[in-house]
Amino acid sequence: MTAVFVVHHEYQRYDDRDEIKLIGVYSTEAKAKSAIERLRVLPGFSEYPDGFSVDCYPIDAEHWIEGLAQQ
């Protein structure tokens, strides 16, 4: 396995804050998309069916290399 597929669900709440849920980490894109299809009809997700995203992350690699922003 050289990569994983991460599924999130995100939407903007009534108070203008973002609600973000980590749904799961999958070994293939097909399994990630299958999870979305199963969850899309459930309460909490069906209200925002387009809030799902799938991101591919290579294993054994840094993904945030900029560091923290200084204020």
Side-chain angles (χ1 to χ4, degrees), residues 3-33:
V4 293
F5 296 84
V6 178
V7 176
H8 285 95
H9 185 259
E10 180 176 359
Y11 64 93
Q12 192 169 51
R13 298 179 350 174
Y14 63 90
D15 59 1
D16 291 331
R17 296 179 66 189
D18 291 333
E19 180 73 29
I20 304 169
K21 295 179 184 81
L22 171 63
I23 301 302
V25 180
Y26 300 89
S27 59
T28 68
E29 186 175 16
K31 288 181 181 180
K33 289 182 176 181

Side-chain angles (χ1 to χ4, degrees), residues 9 35-49 52:
H9 185 259
I36 291 170
E37 292 308 312
R38 284 192 309 275
L39 296 172
R40 188 181 297 263
V41 297
L42 298 179
F45 299 115
S46 61
E47 295 86 348
Y48 304 96
F52 290 97

Side-chain angles (χ1 to χ4, degrees), residues 57-58 60-70:
Y57 287 93
D60 298 329
E62 286 79 30
H63 299 285
W64 185 15
I65 57 174
E66 292 85 21
L68 297 174
Q70 299 294 324

